Amino acid sequence: MPQPALRRPPRMAVLVPVAAMTAAGAAVLASAPASAACRPDPRALRMTFQPVDHTVTDAVYFRARLTLDDRDRRCGLGSSGWAMYFTSVRQPAAVLSGTTGDIGRKQLADQGLTVARADRAQSGDFYVLRPTSAFTPVKPGERRQIDFNMELWALQKTDAPAGWSISYDGGTPHWLPARALQDPTDPKQTKAFSGDNRPVQDAARRYADNTQTKISLSLKQSILPQPLSATASGGTVPIGGGSDVRAPGNLRGEAGYLRSALGDLTRAKGAPITLRTDPKLDVDHDGKPDAEGYTLTTGASGVQIVGTDPAGVLHGVQTLRQLVPAKSYQDAAAGHGGGAVRVPRAAIADAPLFSYRGLDIDVGRHFESPQTIQKFLDLMSFTKLNKLHLHLTDDEGWRLQIPGLPELTGFGAHRAFDPGETKALHEGMGSVNDLGGGDGIAGKARNQTQANLGRPPAYQGFEPDVLNFVGKGSGSFSTAEFEGILRYANARHIDVIPEFDFPAHARAAVQSMERRYKDSGDATYRMLDPNDTSKHVSVQGYTDNMANPCLPGTYRFLTKVVGEVKKMYAAAGTPLNRISLGGDEPPGAPDAWWSGSPACKSNPETAGKDGDALKNLFFTKWNAIAHTAAPQTSGWEDITDPTKDFKLTGFTPLPWQNVWGWGREDWAYRFANQGTPVILAHATNLYMDLAYNKDPNEPGYYWAEFVDEKSTFTYQPFDVYANATEDRWGNPITPSPSWQKLTPEGRKNILGMEAQLFGENGMTPQLREYQAFPKLLGAAERAWNRDTPTTAQMPAAWNVFSNTLGQVTFPLLSAYRPVGLPGTGVNYRIPLPGGKIDGGTLSANVRDPGLAIEYSTDGVHWRPYSGPVAVGASALTRTRAVDGRTSRISPVGVPNWQPAGSYQQGALVNYQGELFRALRPSSGLAPDLSPTAWRLIQ
């Protein structure tokens, strides 16, 4: 996946007593006097990560603090015989070369510690911390702070090291509970470097930014994405699961889908519903049929949906589903439904802007179950998206069974504590086999609540469970499961585009085939030259993730994969229209890629070719192989550079790296103006896995920008520079005159756009939904709605969109039931309120009018906010959705704790980014050291 070099780079639970953390089968070590043989129970330890000073250098490294709490009270941690393992997106400075590394190594040496890469291959993000003979033992009950330099910066808790475990005397490592702290009020913790001028989100900033006003929505404005036209005629029409759905044979699937959707609401009878197609349907009256267009009419004679094609009919069905009042969905979800539901009498006509309206889901970094993918497919259909780009492979995992190549899923689909990688890939991105066993880590939490340090995770922001092995590092789709996904997607007129990312980001595949060779001697599919001395390091720290283009095994492998995938599509009865070649981020400079490979020098086809020429040769062959199964191919922009002559037949690039100031801002338009079809995938606006904003408790990276639903909604596909108002650090910019603008002819080559949901931080389905919604709704609007607002029109359009979310779409999603699947609701992000206090009076607002606000003065009792209210000097606020879920707490006027302060019972303080309430008059000890005096507010 695209991740440039500078890319890489919780509401915390009460610290639970050891007895509570180790109850029900995980008892602490038996009482014994402290001795050399006495080892702390790993669960009685606690590791806390906190960035404390970004000013020690300017964007080279920062000083972090590791705080180790030994809560065992009987056993201390000695000066030898233990090792702590972890993964980290930010490299410890001590593993770097040069002055930065020297400083980092000395810093740790002075504390009696060393850190190194933990795996035999020395490849990736897996590290080990060990004591030296100079280490001062940690006493039972002691809290030890360790200064720990790390590269670049850490602005979100997502940047924290994860997956901590401790091994004694080389034995099986055990889970070591971990958390992260970061104080949003401390610039040293939140300002990356001198050029970082982006403010941290707080209540006051949100209050100033929330300029939306509540409006009465028209029928057209209540539908998302908005149709071309929608006119209500007054009155309603009853429909239900018992409605007579009339459809010809070619619409049997669409009719069945509608019956199922209505049956989830009510079994009651209603007006008849007629579905049909008209290939000449011209909804925009330009004299030409509109592919995927539809008309929807509800009136005295019932409901009629006419589509240009079956896809258009299904789009009309989805619009009909949105006409059902949210209350009817909520009643059905609560088991209170019964009667027919009523939809407004109306006439609606609609057709899409783009033929390609995509979502990319990465299951390589963290796997997701077929059911999770199917739920996303149903939500895609609900919002009229039609392309699922499924990122099936990456360095950290291969996720699809390929008959004849069992190593791909037997080895390459698994992560474990296996430094030598004899049975699985080593631990990466904080995860192994989720909370399950068989991965070499003992004593893991039994459930997400334990992993979250004692509190059920709400997934309305960062949660510490993602530091504690929650995340599907292992897993894969069987051929049957994949075929089931294909059939489910096809029923919704969604193309599934499989991606096999090569030649870089291919470590799982490359190492799986190395395992095959080592176990059986079969070199048929080998993709590494064992004598290659080339040196390169990927953004993620991998040194051995590149398939060699000079080996016949590379092409045999790709041919085998494509052939088996073609069979899966045929077995599922679905078309394979496009294969993605991947192709992003070959590490380092081209001349270094395979310069040390004897195979490249001895192969007559590759001898004498430089790195660029070898890359072009590889993609020419890879493209041809893919075309044996699919008529179209696509891949990341890295494959074909618009400033060079290299082109591929039948290939569509996805320009992604448009970060302002990085030099590729206009690549999409260069491609299009040259006549190359383009799918827009711009990171600054369409990468939904990036954090919503600069708040330590927002999960996600921020390498390209902070991305929220305003970013996706205000994106202008035919004028992407309209969003180029500031760089990723909050500094104002203006578009460069050298950036090519899209020509009228070039506009015809914009096939569509695609939102990206990469998986580094997508540890759970709930987090995936949080990242995607509401961002995906803005992307769907821009991909479908032909009426793209101009820059001048955008504020008014944004006000309408925010009202649609708050008044209509969020209530629908709260009770959403995917057709054909169990479960109800979507874990969309609930926006935090804005707030200010003047003269003891609280004023609050929320981004999306229609959502409810609550406030509290003590963190215990919450009241509905209906207007300015007297609260005193401070208050807490939160937003409540119709399903009862709430946003994170947003403090207003809450002071930072002061060691010399004196606090009365009930006082509220911020301490290192956490909120505490005084249980009794208190002073002296910090809140996290005084559980009898302070209570953490969740």
Side-chain angles (χ1 to χ4, degrees):
M1 154 201 170
Q3 303 170 358
L6 292 185
R7 170 182 210 269
R8 290 313 218 170
R11 300 299 334 133
M12 301 303 304
V14 178
L15 296 181
V16 182
V18 171
M21 285 296 296
T22 59
V28 298
L29 297 174
S31 297
S35 70
C38 184
R39 306 287 200 186
D41 185 313
R43 288 203 186 191
L45 300 173
R46 180 70 55 82
M47 181 64 79
T48 302
F49 169 84
Q50 185 172 13
V52 293
D53 194 352
H54 284 95
T55 68
V56 293
T57 67
D58 208 28
V60 178
Y61 63 86
F62 67 96
R63 188 171 76 248
R65 177 176 298 141
L66 298 176
T67 302
L68 179 66
D69 285 287
D70 181 358
R71 298 169 167 270
D72 192 296
R73 305 293 180 183
R74 298 162 300 99
C75 298
L77 200 61
S79 58
S80 64
W82 58 266
M84 292 181 183
Y85 296 90
F86 63 95
T87 70
S88 179
V89 66
R90 298 291 182 229
Q91 296 183 90
V95 305
L96 302 176
S97 61
T99 302
T100 296
D102 292 341
I103 294 171
R105 286 183 283 275
K106 183 178 187 304
Q107 175 195 52
L108 289 179
D110 289 345
Q111 300 170 88
L113 294 165
T114 65
V115 70
R117 297 189 186 278
D119 61 304
R120 184 181 301 164
Q122 300 287 282
S123 179
D125 66 347
F126 187 34
Y127 301 96
V128 59
L129 183 72
R130 290 189 172 97
T132 70
S133 58
F135 182 76
T136 302
V138 177
K139 299 175 182 178
E142 181 184 347
R143 170 175 287 194
R144 173 71 58 83
Q145 291 186 341
I146 301 165
D147 284 345
F148 197 73
N149 289 349
M150 304 190 79
E151 65 172 345
L152 297 176
W153 45 71
L155 301 185
Q156 312 288 104
K157 290 179 181 176
T158 295
D159 293 324
W164 286 88
S165 64
I166 186 168
S167 168
Y168 293 128
D169 298 322
T172 300
H174 284 244
W175 169 45
L176 193 168
R179 64 174 188 159
L181 293 178
Q182 196 159 6
D183 187 349
T185 70
D186 182 357
K188 286 189 174 183
Q189 296 186 38
T190 58
K191 185 179 175 72
F193 66 108
S194 61
D196 177 10
N197 292 305
R198 186 174 294 281
V200 176
Q201 284 282 315
D202 58 16
R205 182 158 299 279
R206 285 191 293 273
Y207 187 84
D209 289 344
N210 290 341
T211 58
Q212 295 75 251
T213 56
K214 190 170 185 179
I215 60 174
S216 296
L217 295 168
S218 67
L219 177 65
K220 178 179 178 180
Q221 293 169 337
S222 299
I223 300 167
L224 197 159
Q226 275 193 29
L228 283 173
S229 64
T231 305
S233 54
T236 60
V237 177
I239 59 174
S243 289
D244 180 16
V245 179
R246 307 163 183 170
N250 69 320
L251 295 178
R252 186 180 298 109
E254 290 72 24
Y257 184 93
L258 176 57
R259 292 189 188 100
S260 180
L262 292 178
D264 288 341
L265 274 170
T266 175
R267 297 295 178 182
K269 292 185 177 180
I273 303 173
T274 302
L275 310 180
R276 67 182 179 88
T277 56
D278 176 3
K280 297 181 179 179
L281 186 65
D282 177 14
V283 298
D284 60 4
H285 308 296
D286 67 351
K288 296 179 292 185
D290 293 297
E292 299 186 73
Y294 69 91
T295 59
L296 167 62
T297 307
T298 57
S301 60
V303 177
Q304 293 85 37
I305 298 175
V306 181
T308 312
D309 44 37
V313 172
L314 187 62
H315 297 324
V317 167
Q318 299 295 14
T319 296
L320 179 63
R321 291 178 73 196
Q322 290 197 38
L323 296 183
V324 174
K327 181 66 164 55
S328 297
Y329 286 107
Q330 292 156 16
D331 288 345
H336 303 319
V341 298
R342 307 195 73 87
V343 298
R345 295 191 177 193
I348 299 171
D350 205 4
L353 170 64
F354 290 128
S355 61
Y356 189 110
R357 305 177 302 280
L359 169 65
D360 174 19
I361 299 181
D362 167 19
V363 294
R365 273 54 178 275
H366 284 98
F367 184 65
E368 288 299 344
S369 69
Q371 183 173 312
T372 296
I373 300 301
Q374 289 170 336
K375 181 177 181 181
F376 266 99
L377 283 164
D378 202 66
L379 285 162
M380 288 173 65
S381 178
F382 190 67
T383 54
K384 302 182 174 68
L385 300 174
N386 66 348
K387 310 290 182 185
L388 174 62
H389 173 178
L390 199 53
H391 190 85
L392 289 163
T393 69
D394 217 292
D395 296 321
E396 296 83 5
W398 180 282
R399 306 303 185 187
L400 178 62
Q401 178 188 3
I402 301 295
L405 299 178
E407 297 82 6
L408 285 173
T409 47
F411 175 85
H414 296 276
R415 296 209 287 265
F417 181 84
D418 187 354
E421 297 183 301
T422 59
K423 300 294 184 182
L425 298 172
H426 62 66
E427 180 181 336
M429 295 187 170
S431 62
V432 279
N433 187 32
D434 203 22
L435 297 181
D439 57 17
I441 304 292
K444 284 187 294 185
R446 295 186 299 276
N447 52 52
Q448 290 180 340
T449 296
Q450 269 200 348
N452 211 47
L453 307 183
R455 178 178 61 84
Y459 295 118
Q460 280 297 310
F462 181 88
E463 299 280 12
D465 67 344
V466 301
L467 305 180
N468 292 303
F469 291 109
V470 165
K472 298 180 186 68
S474 297
S476 60
F477 301 125
S478 69
T479 56
E481 288 172 331
F482 187 64
E483 289 162 12
I485 290 171
L486 296 179
R487 284 189 287 268
Y488 191 91
N490 193 53
R492 288 150 182 77
H493 298 284
I494 296 174
D495 284 345
V496 177
I497 301 165
E499 179 184 348
F500 303 99
D501 203 352
F502 283 84
H505 281 295
R507 188 173 193 268
V510 168
Q511 297 302 325
S512 292
M513 292 304 97
E514 281 298 288
R515 181 57 43 201
R516 180 187 183 94
Y517 171 73
K518 291 173 183 176
D519 288 347
S520 68
D522 180 7
T524 304
Y525 302 110
R526 200 176 189 190
M527 291 180 277
L528 281 185
D529 178 352
N531 299 312
D532 189 356
T533 59
S534 307
K535 301 293 184 183
H536 37 66
V537 182
S538 77
V539 171
Q540 296 77 19
Y542 293 108
T543 59
D544 52 1
N545 70 337
M546 293 264 285
N548 191 306
C550 309
L551 297 175
T554 295
Y555 305 107
R556 292 193 199 107
F557 175 84
L558 294 171
T559 300
K560 171 67 172 174
V561 168
V562 165
E564 295 297 335
V565 169
K566 182 178 180 179
K567 293 176 187 176
M568 294 178 208
Y569 277 78
T574 61
L576 174 53
N577 293 320
R578 185 186 295 271
I579 291 175
S580 173
L581 312 179
D584 61 307
E585 293 190 315
D591 286 345
W593 289 336
W594 301 284
S595 59
S597 169
C600 290
K601 294 179 173 66
S602 62
N603 184 339
E605 189 178 24
T606 59
K609 285 183 167 61
D610 63 14
D612 259 333
L614 290 174
K615 185 194 84 166
N616 293 348
L617 173 68
F618 169 80
F619 282 116
T620 299
K621 290 190 168 191
W622 180 200
N623 190 55
I625 291 169
H627 274 297
T628 63
Q632 300 170 312
T633 58
S634 56
W636 303 110
E637 66 181 16
D638 313 57
I639 293 175
T640 56
D641 183 334
T643 67
K644 298 179 180 179
D645 294 333
F646 178 65
K647 306 293 181 186
L648 289 174
T649 303
F651 172 79
T652 302
L654 280 79
W656 61 276
Q657 196 181 151
N658 72 315
V659 182
W660 316 122
W662 281 15
R664 294 190 185 181
E665 300 89 344
D666 65 351
W667 273 29
Y669 292 169
R670 285 180 180 268
F671 280 125
N673 291 344
Q674 292 169 7
T676 301
V678 167
I679 299 164
L680 303 174
H682 284 140
T684 55
N685 292 76
L686 300 176
Y687 270 46
M688 298 183 301
D689 56 293
L690 299 181
Y692 277 88
N693 53 50
K694 188 178 180 180
D695 174 343
N697 282 306
E698 282 296 342
Y701 297 140
Y702 43 91
W703 60 266
E705 182 57 276
F706 292 96
V707 175
D708 64 5
E709 68 272 25
K710 190 171 185 178
S711 306
T712 56
F713 179 83
T714 59
Y715 180 72
Q716 298 186 42
F718 304 121
D719 182 14
V720 297
Y721 313 137
N723 288 107
T725 58
E726 60 182 28
D727 65 17
R728 63 186 180 133
W729 301 114
N731 301 298
I733 60 170
T734 55
S736 169
S738 67
W739 296 348
Q740 274 195 22
K741 294 183 178 180
L742 188 64
T743 65
E745 283 301 307
R747 179 175 173 137
K748 299 175 184 177
N749 292 315
I750 305 295
L751 297 187
M753 50 187 280
E754 180 177 286
Q756 313 297 322
L757 188 59
F758 285 105
E760 296 98 322
N761 302 301
M763 269 74 163
T764 69
Q766 299 95 324
L767 273 175
R768 298 273 190 155
E769 292 178 10
Y770 177 92
Q771 291 173 328
F773 293 94
K775 297 180 195 181
L776 186 60
L777 302 173
E781 183 75 21
R782 291 283 69 83
W784 178 274
N785 191 342
R786 294 186 179 186
D787 186 17
T788 305
T790 64
T791 301
Q793 296 167 334
M794 196 61 79
W798 167 245
N799 189 65
V800 171
F801 181 73
S802 295
N803 274 270
T804 304
L805 293 182
Q807 296 184 47
V808 181
T809 313
F810 283 160
L812 284 176
L813 292 178
S814 284
Y816 185 85
R817 182 169 176 179
V819 174
L821 296 176
T824 300
V826 176
N827 186 48
Y828 57 84
R829 180 182 185 268
I830 304 169
L832 280 68
K836 65 175 184 177
I837 294 177
D838 289 326
T841 297
L842 169 69
S843 297
N845 59 17
V846 67
R847 165 173 274 192
D848 303 309
L851 290 171
I853 302 173
E854 298 177 338
Y855 74 97
S856 173
T857 56
D858 60 6
V860 177
H861 304 94
W862 291 87
R863 302 174 181 86
Y865 174 87
S866 57
V869 58
V871 294
S874 65
L876 306 176
T877 63
R878 66 187 185 189
T879 307
R880 180 174 290 277
V882 296
D883 54 22
R885 296 179 305 123
T886 61
S887 71
R888 300 195 305 275
I889 293 173
S890 175
V892 187
V894 174
N896 287 337
W897 176 81
Q898 300 295 330
S902 179
Y903 298 96
Q904 298 301 310
Q905 182 176 344
L908 302 176
V909 298
N910 168 69
Y911 178 70
Q912 300 300 336
E914 297 186 320
L915 295 170
F916 288 86
R917 177 173 62 91
L919 300 176
R920 55 179 174 76
S922 177
S923 61
L925 284 177
D928 67 336
L929 292 175
S930 310
T932 61
W934 294 93
R935 174 67 52 82
L936 180 65
I937 299 172
Q938 306 289 352

